[in-house]
Amino acid sequence: MENRHNKAYKFQANRKYFTISIYALFVILMGLIMWKLIYNWDKTVEVTKYVISILSPFIVGAFIAFMLSPMNVFFRDTFFAKKLKLKSEKLQSILAIIVTYIIFIGVVTVLIIFIIPQVGQSISDLVARIPGWYTMAEEFVVNFAKSHPELDFIDFNQILDSLKQTNVVEQVLSEVTSVIPNIISFVLDASINIVKMLFNLLIAIIVSIYILFDKNHFKKGFRRLLYALFPKRITVLIVDILKESHHIFSGFLFGKVVDSIIMGLLCFIAMTLLQLDYPILISVIVGITNVIPYFGPYIGGVIGALILLIVSPVKMLIFGVLILALQQFDGLYLGPKILGDSIGIKPIWIIFSVTVGGSLCGVLGMFLGVPVVAVIVYIINRIVDYRLETKRITFDENNTDLAHHIKKTMVENESNI
């Protein structure tokens, strides 16, 4: 009797409640960690910056590998596998990586040796022209005041004082003069930083090569981890979402960079043929700002027009017509050809992402905001579709299925009452 009584009260493990307890403890632990991080926000930011500075070569290397991945895939799968019909997959990967990095290093070398010095020379020449531009502006104001005495309600002297106070050259000279006493320490610090930057860049390139070469290995390991942590159906959904998110992000970044390079080259060729000043400087500005969707072309056009205004208002107008023609070509033909439907979001979301991204992270946020929002919108749509599928709710263009589902639910509820 006593043995039966003890057996009745013997503890029996329940796998369901054990799983619920583990999830509850995990949620509580994550909540405590988040509260601790937010409560000590200054310390969190400091530690985050320190960790990022240590991992910066690996982060940069991963970014380089991410940007070069489409080119590497093209050479491996299309050129060496299909065109040259190489049998060894390992040889295809090695040759594709070699060709990809030869092109990458060649572009960087051309940029450093040819373009950057030309840009520096153009900026120096432009700064040298600024005093003459100020003199012309002052003369214009004086002559305008003499020619229009009826505008005596305008304080032209105040305008002249404002022009003198905004003399950029004098401000730059004063800043340089204040830096001269610390020039030796500045040179030493700059030299050390350059050595560190070159060393980190070398490590980043090596890391990116390893990532591209072992990309399939990393994918396989990450997929095994997901299958170990989540149910099979959830894992399939996560893997599918990650694949499409990678396609959206990489497609936009790589396509936008290629589009911007082509636009910069076209701008340089057109400015050279039209004999406009500072073709390299303005073309670089146009190419860089073109990576910003919607607003970028206008930003580059305005900056280029202001630069040419110092040289000649007529040349500024010619450049304005040129940039409008280039942007029409980019928007109607070149952009759709290169980018295609890689984003898949409405223009209102693009404007929203550029505005919010620019407010949070400046120019980089304006560039990366679009693919980030596109990925978020895609993930939300996939989650919503998954939830609707589990509830067996479908939609057509007129939402008749949803209306039918709601009506059926209401009828069932009324019948139950």
Side-chain angles (χ1 to χ4, degrees), residues 230 270-271 280 356:
F230 302 102
M271 289 187 68
I280 293 181
V356 175

Side-chain angles (χ1 to χ4, degrees), residues 64-283:
I64 292 174
F66 184 80
M67 291 299 295
L68 297 181
S69 180
M71 188 190 305
N72 179 68
V73 170
F74 168 77
F75 282 115
R76 186 191 64 198
D77 297 343
T78 304
F79 187 74
F80 291 110
K82 295 181 180 179
K83 295 290 183 182
L84 300 183
K85 297 181 180 180
L86 298 179
K87 300 298 182 182
S88 174
E89 293 184 358
K90 187 174 182 180
L91 182 60
Q92 293 172 8
S93 299
I94 293 174
L95 292 176
I97 289 174
I98 291 174
V99 173
T100 299
Y101 277 87
I102 287 175
I103 295 174
F104 171 67
I105 294 173
V107 170
V108 173
T109 303
V110 169
L111 187 69
I112 293 174
I113 295 177
F114 296 103
I115 297 179
I116 292 180
Q118 290 291 329
V119 171
Q121 182 62 38
S122 298
I123 293 174
S124 300
D125 184 49
L126 193 61
V127 171
R129 285 176 180 249
I130 290 178
W133 185 83
Y134 274 106
T135 303
M136 291 173 57
E138 290 176 2
E139 291 177 355
F140 172 79
V141 173
V142 172
N143 294 330
F144 186 83
K146 292 179 180 179
S147 303
H148 299 82
E150 70 276 6
L151 301 177
D152 55 350
F153 58 90
I154 300 178
D155 191 355
F156 289 100
N157 291 325
Q158 185 178 359
I159 296 175
L160 291 172
D161 292 338
S162 300
L163 285 172
K164 292 177 182 178
Q165 290 173 5
T166 55
N167 194 321
V168 177
V169 178
E170 291 182 359
Q171 293 179 7
V172 171
L173 290 175
S174 63
E175 291 294 330
V176 172
T177 304
S178 63
V179 169
I180 288 176
N182 301 320
I183 195 70
I184 297 177
S185 60
F186 174 78
V187 170
L188 290 175
D189 292 340
S191 302
I192 294 172
N193 290 331
I194 289 173
V195 172
K196 287 182 178 179
M197 183 184 69
L198 292 176
F199 180 72
N200 289 337
L201 181 61
L202 178 62
I203 295 178
I205 292 175
I206 295 173
V207 169
S208 66
I209 292 173
Y210 275 106
I211 291 176
L212 286 179
F213 190 75
D214 292 332
K215 183 171 61 175
N216 293 330
H217 176 74
F218 290 130
K219 286 182 180 179
K220 183 179 178 181
F222 184 67
R223 191 173 298 169
R224 290 179 69 248
L225 179 63
L226 289 177
Y227 274 104
L229 294 177
F230 302 102
K232 184 177 180 180
R233 188 178 180 186
I234 299 296
T235 303
V236 171
L237 179 64
I238 293 174
V239 170
D240 191 31
I241 289 175
L242 290 177
K243 281 183 179 179
E244 187 61 27
S245 300
H246 176 268
H247 172 72
I248 294 172
F249 213 93
S250 62
F252 174 80
L253 292 184
F254 186 78
K256 199 62 181 173
V257 168
V258 172
D259 176 71
S260 299
I261 291 173
I262 294 174
M263 286 297 295
L265 290 173
L266 291 176
C267 182
F268 171 74
I269 294 170
M271 289 187 68
T272 303
L273 293 175
L274 294 172
Q275 297 182 349
L276 298 178
D277 295 79
Y278 309 115
I280 293 181
L281 174 62
I282 295 176
S283 298

